[in-house]
Amino acid sequence: MGEEVKRGYAIEFRFSTDEYPKGNRMDFNRMYWVQMDPLYYLRHAMIIKAESISFADDAGSFSGFEETGLLAELDDDRENARVATIRLLRFQATDTFITALLGSEPHGPMARFLEVTRNDELNKLVDYVAKQTVHETLQISGVTSFSEWLSFKVFRQKAKSSDDILPDEIVKFVSFQAEFARQKNLYNAFKHGFRIGYGIIPEFELKDTQGSDPFISTRRFKNPVAWVKWNEKRNQRAPRVEIGVTECDPIDDMAAIYAMAMLLRAMRRVRIEPKGTTISLQLPS
């Protein structure tokens, strides 16, 4: 213990799940919900949204940057950088929210679900949520509709009446977020930094067969982000290059992050607070 822990390193405590006597097993689901912060991405997004200090104002923290001209580059196009960061936070918030829904009781434990359900298998489950259907591996006995399933996942109990079922607006919101999460090329562009940039985007227009005014033009995009993806597969005659452009909407992204945070917050309270606690759920209109 006398040796200093190196900066940036983490300490892990590992133990086997069979080390606890039968009947005295640790509640791994509760452990997850106690530690998880439902406001994590909302808090970060609010910080980014409110941030207005120039890098040059804090030049003392960046020794030598003034001479290289880097501070001027960092301050360039700050608004698009801010908007793109909020979009990235929305992707991460959606990822967290959807997987929490899928892996919550009676499935899981959450930690196990997050570890063993990945890639194509996870994508398939997300596809089902986007279509407002339930995959056979996640069905719940006695629950027949998607809205009932979603209500059980949030409140951890079967609906006794129609008043216990989440309204259609929330059901549609959740399925839309699952559809949003299916944009893997776009998510990876943000997550791994495969972006071309904020201002350097390909200019193109889409017109109908009559050649009338374009109904989509990248010249009209506000806060655009573009990316490049290289697709190369075996037995493919030639590699395929994909160039994509998206328009970021910070107002819509913030509203989605807020709504998912409120849903996760309700889910957490249901699971860690004493029975009988009144839990309200209010989402932005």
Side-chain angles (χ1 to χ4, degrees):
M1 296 296 293
E3 189 173 338
E4 183 180 352
V5 178
K6 293 182 179 179
R7 292 183 179 179
Y9 282 73
I11 299 176
E12 295 183 355
F13 299 92
R14 301 178 182 179
F15 52 86
S16 172
T17 56
D18 61 6
E19 292 177 2
Y20 289 86
K22 190 174 182 180
N24 191 32
R25 294 291 179 89
M26 183 178 293
D27 188 342
F28 291 103
N29 271 321
R30 181 175 175 79
M31 180 193 299
Y32 171 85
W33 287 105
V34 166
Q35 294 189 71
M36 81 94 63
D37 177 8
L39 306 182
Y40 181 84
Y41 292 109
L42 177 60
R43 187 177 293 110
H44 282 66
M46 293 296 290
I47 292 172
I48 295 298
K49 182 174 181 293
E51 190 274 334
S52 60
I53 300 173
S54 167
F55 287 110
D57 294 337
D58 195 23
S61 300
F62 302 94
S63 178
F65 282 10
E66 303 93 323
E67 290 76 15
T68 63
L70 181 57
L71 285 176
E73 290 187 44
L74 287 172
D75 274 328
D76 185 39
D77 212 358
R78 292 173 58 80
E79 182 57 26
N80 267 336
R82 190 201 324 259
V83 168
T85 302
I86 293 175
R87 173 56 60 89
L88 170 60
L89 289 170
R90 178 181 178 178
F91 269 116
Q92 294 175 318
T94 305
D95 208 10
T96 298
F97 170 64
I98 296 297
T99 51
L101 274 179
L102 296 172
S104 61
E105 302 96 317
H107 310 100
M110 276 299 306
R112 180 183 183 277
F113 180 86
L114 295 171
E115 179 64 28
V116 303
T117 312
R118 296 182 177 183
N119 302 326
D120 291 344
E121 183 180 358
L122 178 59
N123 293 339
K124 184 186 297 184
L125 299 179
V126 174
D127 288 346
Y128 271 73
V129 175
K131 298 173 184 175
Q132 296 189 27
T133 54
V134 182
H135 190 269
E136 59 183 10
T137 61
L138 294 181
Q139 290 180 359
I140 301 171
S141 177
V143 175
T144 57
S145 69
F146 178 79
S147 57
E148 289 180 69
W149 176 88
L150 184 60
S151 301
F152 186 101
K153 283 290 189 171
V154 172
F155 297 115
R156 204 175 61 170
Q157 63 180 11
K158 292 181 181 179
K160 298 177 181 178
S161 69
S162 59
D163 293 336
D164 299 329
I165 299 177
L166 290 169
D168 289 342
E169 290 78 9
I170 294 181
V171 174
K172 291 176 181 177
F173 170 80
V174 171
S175 66
F176 181 82
Q177 300 316 309
E179 181 69 34
F180 180 86
R182 296 174 67 191
Q183 304 176 87
K184 294 302 179 183
N185 285 349
L186 181 55
Y187 185 15
N188 287 332
F190 279 90
K191 185 166 61 175
H192 300 299
F194 293 157
R195 298 191 287 277
I196 299 173
Y198 309 121
I200 311 172
I201 67 170
E203 291 190 357
F204 60 83
E205 297 177 342
L206 297 180
K207 299 183 179 181
D208 60 28
T209 55
Q210 305 302 318
S212 58
D213 291 339
F215 55 89
I216 293 180
S217 173
T218 59
R219 295 189 186 92
R220 300 175 185 171
F221 279 19
K222 185 179 180 181
N223 303 315
V225 174
W227 70 95
V228 172
K229 178 177 174 56
W230 182 280
N231 273 321
E232 184 172 341
K233 298 179 180 179
R234 291 183 179 180
N235 302 322
Q236 187 173 320
R237 186 174 62 180
R240 186 179 64 188
V241 177
E242 299 175 8
I243 300 176
V245 184
T246 189
E247 183 176 28
C248 297
D249 183 346
I251 296 176
D252 184 60
D253 289 342
M254 287 294 301
I257 293 171
Y258 174 84
M260 288 185 286
M262 294 303 99
L263 282 163
L264 276 176
R265 185 169 177 263
M267 292 176 69
R268 181 178 185 270
R269 292 188 63 194
V270 166
R271 287 157 175 80
I272 69 173
E273 295 192 7
K275 288 184 178 181
T277 302
T278 301
I279 298 174
S280 60
L281 177 60
Q282 293 183 334
L283 302 185
S285 58

